Amino acid sequence: MASFGIKELVDVLRESAGEDEDINLEGDILDIDFESLGYDSLALFNTIRWVERDLGIALSDEAISVTGTPRALLDEINRAAAQAA
Amino acid sequence: MSVNRRDGASAPVVTGVGVVSPNGIGVEAYWKAVLAGSSGIGEISRFDTDGYASGIGGEIKGFDPAEHLPSRLVPQTDRMTRLALVAAEQTLADADLDPRSLPDFAVGVVTAASAGGMEFGQREMEALWSKGGAYVSSYQAFAWFYPVNTGQISIRHGMRGASSAVVTEQAGGLDAVAKAGRHIDQGTPHMLAGGVDSALCPWGWLCMSRSGRLSTVADPDRAYLPFDTDASGHVPGEGGALLVLEDPEAAERRGARKRYGAVVGHASTFDPRPGSGREPGLRRAIEAALDQARVGAGDIDVVFADASGVPDLDRQEAEALAAVFGPRGVPVTAPKSMTGRLLAGGASLDLATALLALRDEVVPPTVNVTSPAYGDLIDLVLDQPRECSLTYALVVARGYGGFNSVMVVRR
């Protein structure tokens, strides 16, 4: 399976929740928490459900944290994807 | 029936208006179209109406939400909410009111809705049944909920004062404004109120068709002919209007620039049980609204009619108006003949139109009506705007299910 990286995550964020006009998602955002990126818990929930569906994985509810970062979420996603493979 | 007496000096003033309508987005674009008799009614283009009895409606064409709204709001909103957010922004700008510059609970919002975000809801239900629960948007949680417009407007603009939503079909467009007036009486100095609605999707279309009140005439210029001998029902449309209402002293204190007029009277009544043979509640609502405004029938300079387009209901309205104002006693108009009936948004748009009429002292026309059926009862303003001295306007709204609502505004 092709790895799911920051580009893929940003694509899903944009499509499922939109993006804050004042924030550049193309920049170095890996270690910025989701709340600072303009996403609330529902936006993150919608995004993660989308990723789970597309990759055929299941993440724990703890993965949905607005104080978490894209890097931590991507680690979770790829760990789950490796287990599912 | 609710009637609160108010004295003229304390009546809430309208200091801002925003409009999204099939014949214009923005107050002045809309008003120019109305005075020109320019209709926004046409064949429905957003979905295939083959197989439905009706195919004519008032669509807002060329509205790209991405042009008007932050990207974060687009995935979580139904079309009616997108339109409402655009109208809210216009309205606050027109009133030069920035809720974030005022105390936390100083500004509230009351919107009217008919059913909620039906297009959004239909899409998610389709996803649920065809693909499964994992494909349903989390935003379904609120995007199709009937008070969602109030919530989204409140969140976007930081309006934390007394807020709610009313559901009384077409009457809601006035009932919401009346409720905002009561919040002002109770101490919230600034309110945003009105209705913006849309249900132009297959699910909404089916629900509206089941009312039996939709015209099945296929010619856009002949489908909605209120008070005409060829009346055959109405056409639905989308859009509406929002208004900023303020306590007059609070408006003065913050230096509000505009005064479109004052909301001086309102009453709502409910029709008796169908088949009871008793008189509809409309006349009672008109009289009670006049009573609250402390004016007589002779003081009203123009009536904005509900204009059902269903012959029996048109007759009821013409008879009620003739009973109160005398036969042909006051000019009556139905600019909604250019937009269709906008569900919970229609009466708010009529109210906004009435205020513009008062401002410019001109009665907008009723279009397409060529053969008035109740010419002995009402003086319907046809074809061309009528210039005359205007101080008081009365707006009538009747909602499916027996709701009557009447509002009196003064310039």
Side-chain angles (χ1 to χ4, degrees):
Chain A
M1 188 198 83
S3 77
F4 189 90
I6 186 68
K7 181 187 174 303
E8 288 74 18
L9 179 60
V10 166
D11 285 347
V12 179
L13 278 167
R14 281 189 173 134
E15 186 143 3
S16 65
E19 67 185 303
D20 193 312
E21 275 72 6
D22 297 330
I23 289 163
N24 176 17
L25 296 179
E26 301 298 330
D28 185 5
I29 60 164
L30 274 169
D31 296 309
I32 302 174
D33 64 85
F34 284 106
E35 192 158 37
S36 303
L37 292 172
Y39 295 105
D40 54 25
S41 59
L42 199 55
L44 205 52
F45 187 83
N46 210 31
T47 302
I48 287 174
R49 288 291 170 261
W50 192 305
V51 173
E52 287 181 323
R53 193 178 76 201
D54 286 359
L55 299 184
I57 59 172
L59 298 179
S60 69
D61 284 349
E62 285 76 64
I64 307 169
S65 165
V66 293
T67 57
T69 63
R71 185 188 302 279
L73 179 60
L74 285 168
D75 285 349
E76 287 267 349
I77 290 170
N78 285 303
R79 197 176 312 127
Q83 278 170 11
Chain B
M1 179 161 61
S2 88
V3 180
N4 294 316
R5 291 204 169 266
R6 61 166 82 256
D7 67 73
S10 71
V13 290
V14 177
T15 56
V17 177
V19 168
V20 283
S21 162
N23 58 348
I25 295 179
V27 170
E28 299 309 329
Y30 162 75
W31 183 229
K32 197 175 158 193
V34 166
L35 291 179
S38 167
S39 173
I41 292 173
E43 286 179 21
I44 292 288
S45 66
R46 286 226 301 285
F47 64 97
D48 186 357
T49 56
D50 273 4
Y52 297 88
S54 314
I56 303 296
E59 288 178 325
I60 295 174
K61 296 269 172 61
F63 174 76
D64 177 5
E67 268 176 38
H68 298 273
L69 293 173
S71 146
R72 283 280 286 108
L73 285 173
V74 175
Q76 57 179 280
T77 43
D78 181 78
R79 185 172 172 90
M80 66 145 195
T81 305
R82 295 170 182 173
L83 294 170
L85 285 166
V86 169
E89 198 171 24
Q90 277 180 29
T91 310
L92 292 170
D94 189 46
D96 197 22
L97 179 70
D98 175 11
R100 292 189 200 280
S101 70
L102 294 164
D104 247 12
F105 297 96
V107 191
V109 48
V110 181
T111 63
S114 55
M118 295 200 84
E119 189 176 41
F120 193 106
Q122 172 168 4
R123 192 180 66 224
E124 301 309 318
M125 300 254 268
E126 283 174 356
L128 174 66
W129 293 113
S130 64
K131 294 191 271 188
Y135 288 82
V136 176
S137 167
S138 307
Y139 294 117
Q140 172 78 345
F142 55 72
W144 72 335
F145 194 31
Y146 69 89
V148 68
N149 289 358
T150 290
Q152 287 283 22
I153 291 167
S154 158
I155 292 165
R156 187 177 187 201
H157 296 287
M159 300 156 75
R160 302 180 66 202
S163 295
S164 56
V166 298
V167 180
T168 53
E169 218 263 321
Q170 302 270 337
L174 296 183
D175 289 340
V177 174
K179 185 154 172 50
R182 293 195 291 277
H183 287 312
I184 290 172
D185 290 345
Q186 291 157 4
T188 305
H190 319 275
M191 294 293 304
L192 182 79
V196 175
D197 210 348
S198 175
L200 300 183
C201 63
W203 183 25
W205 202 249
L206 180 67
C207 294
M208 291 188 284
S209 299
R210 300 281 292 192
S211 72
R213 293 182 178 182
L214 261 54
S215 171
T216 55
V217 172
D219 177 353
D221 293 333
R222 300 292 298 161
Y224 179 35
L225 301 174
F227 303 116
D228 192 287
T229 53
D230 287 334
S232 59
H234 72 263
V235 306
E238 62 182 351
L242 296 173
L243 303 93
V244 168
L245 269 81
E246 300 183 78
D247 169 71
E249 281 177 25
E252 197 63 45
R253 258 197 316 278
R254 75 170 183 88
R257 295 167 306 184
K258 294 188 180 176
R259 300 288 185 282
Y260 285 93
V263 176
V264 293
H266 170 260
S268 52
T269 63
F270 204 66
D271 282 335
R273 177 176 55 80
S276 71
R278 288 159 57 205
E279 186 191 354
L282 181 57
R283 184 177 55 84
R284 212 156 38 93
I286 297 170
E287 288 171 347
L290 292 172
D291 191 34
Q292 192 193 43
R294 300 191 177 193
V295 294
D299 294 314
I300 300 296
D301 301 303
V302 59
V303 170
F304 285 72
D306 175 65
S308 160
V310 173
D312 280 354
L313 296 169
D314 280 350
R315 169 164 288 284
Q316 282 181 12
E317 186 172 19
E319 284 174 349
L321 293 174
V324 176
F325 297 99
R328 299 184 63 85
V330 64
V332 175
T333 189
K336 58 166 70 83
S337 53
M338 291 173 247
T339 63
R341 290 173 69 83
L342 311 183
L343 303 165
S348 296
L349 185 57
D350 276 342
L351 184 64
T353 312
L355 290 162
L356 294 166
L358 294 179
R359 182 189 73 181
D360 295 348
E361 299 203 78
V362 55
V363 179
T366 308
V367 302
N368 295 332
V369 172
T370 50
S371 172
Y374 313 104
D376 53 333
L377 296 175
I378 56 170
D379 169 19
L380 196 60
V381 177
L382 301 172
D383 298 328
Q384 295 295 321
R386 189 187 295 179
E387 291 190 33
C388 50
S389 166
L390 300 176
T391 303
Y392 284 97
L394 182 139
V395 182
V396 177
R398 305 189 79 192
Y400 183 75
F403 303 99
N404 301 290
S405 191
V406 175
M407 190 162 268
V408 180
V409 286
R410 185 191 60 215
R411 65 177 300 198

